[in-house]
Amino acid sequence: MEATQINRVSVADQVAAVLRQRILEGEFRPGTQLQELPLASSLGVSRNTMREAIRILSIEGLLRRNHHRGVAVSQLTLRDVREIYQLRHMLEVPAVLSPGRQDPDLLKEILKALEQYEEAVENEDWSLAVSHDLHFHSLLIRFHGNKRLDSFYRNMIGELRIGMVLVDRSHDDPGTLIPVHRKMYQLLASGKRKQCAAVLEQHLEDSESRLTRLMTAQTAPAMRTA
């Protein structure tokens, strides 16, 4: 029984990975309705496995379930972006300012996430870059020392995943994002929390501004042709 359950979860994870890639690469656009049975059939898996994969992606914020319309690829509004970034400012900045001793293990994890992010950007693998970027910022929340807050933040930040992939892919020079993250890590590692908070604050403002501009630009043509 246990072996069967492990295998089922493994297949669901693989299916989730396939769907995640299709979403982040733009094959399934924001707002696209996904039907369980056709998807399950096309991937050669059971409906139960597909439901578990959809549950995984819903937790990540990539899919949203509607009782009347089924499942659809998440679609951010400008209000969503404002609210999410408001929460990011409220949670990330105080996290790096929180008092307490340096945690060498946490700093090692942050460095690893940074290096993985840098490698993904250099390889222009935007979906992977965003995953490591989100992980980097999620690790900052751990300075609060609150596991429930960690879980809340991960679920909340996942809603930005699609938008951030679009932003990084369309960025004039995504490589310029690397020094910002590297600087934040160096300031944290040297105990310069206030300086790190200032860099982080500006980074969040710039990130929100880029995403807002992109979403506004994509909405404008649709409004003109409506």
Side-chain angles (χ1 to χ4, degrees), residues 207-224:
S207 179
E208 179 181 3
S209 178
R210 285 195 304 273
L211 180 53
T212 298
R213 286 198 305 270
L214 178 62
M215 291 177 62
T216 301
Q218 290 182 335
T219 302
M223 293 179 63
R224 286 197 296 267

Side-chain angles (χ1 to χ4, degrees), residues 11-198:
V11 174
D13 285 338
Q14 293 178 54
V15 172
V18 171
L19 295 179
R20 184 186 299 110
Q21 194 69 19
R22 291 182 179 181
I23 292 169
L24 295 179
E25 289 183 350
E27 182 177 340
F28 294 149
R29 302 292 296 173
T32 301
Q33 299 289 319
L34 301 182
Q35 299 180 346
E36 291 179 359
L37 280 176
L39 276 176
S41 177
S42 67
L43 294 176
V45 299
S46 70
R47 187 170 187 175
N48 285 339
T49 298
M50 180 56 64
R51 283 177 175 171
E52 174 62 15
I54 287 174
R55 187 188 70 82
I56 292 170
L57 296 180
S58 296
I59 291 174
E60 294 180 5
L62 291 179
L63 297 178
R64 289 182 180 176
R65 185 177 290 279
N66 184 296
H67 292 298
H68 303 291
R69 297 184 179 180
V71 177
V73 179
S74 295
Q75 188 168 22
L76 286 174
T77 65
L78 291 176
R79 178 175 179 174
D80 291 330
V81 172
R82 285 195 302 271
E83 291 180 350
I84 290 172
Y85 273 91
Q86 181 182 28
L87 286 171
R88 292 191 69 181
H89 281 279
M90 292 170 62
L91 297 176
E92 291 186 38
V93 176
V96 300
L97 288 172
S98 60
R101 298 171 57 187
Q102 290 281 60
D103 184 340
D105 291 334
L106 177 54
L107 288 173
K108 287 180 182 178
E109 288 189 61
I110 293 173
L111 177 59
K112 181 178 179 181
L114 169 64
E115 292 172 342
Q116 291 173 325
Y117 170 67
E118 292 174 343
E119 181 179 358
V121 170
E122 290 169 357
N123 292 331
E124 298 186 356
D125 187 337
W126 306 126
S127 61
L128 188 59
V130 167
S131 292
H132 293 312
D133 184 6
L134 295 181
H135 184 49
F136 177 94
H137 286 273
S138 296
L139 288 171
L140 299 181
I141 300 299
R142 284 175 50 183
F143 283 109
H144 282 296
N146 186 317
K147 291 183 178 180
R148 287 180 174 80
L149 190 57
D150 291 349
S151 179
F152 166 78
Y153 179 87
R154 286 195 299 271
N155 291 337
M156 179 270 294
I157 199 72
E159 295 185 63
L160 280 177
R161 188 182 297 265
I162 298 176
M164 291 178 68
V165 170
L166 292 174
V167 168
D168 284 3
R169 184 182 291 141
S170 61
H171 200 291
D172 291 338
D173 185 8
T176 58
L177 298 174
I178 291 179
V180 176
H181 290 79
R182 173 65 65 172
K183 185 174 184 178
M184 283 191 283
Y185 166 75
Q186 292 172 339
L187 291 170
L188 277 176
S190 59
K192 298 177 180 178
R193 297 290 188 93
K194 289 185 178 180
Q195 293 93 322
C196 180

Side-chain angles (χ1 to χ4, degrees), residues 1-14 46 48-49 52:
M1 179 64 72
E2 291 181 0
T4 302
Q5 290 175 339
I6 292 172
N7 184 56
R8 185 183 303 140
V9 171
S10 176
V11 174
D13 285 338
Q14 293 178 54
S46 70
N48 285 339
T49 298
E52 174 62 15

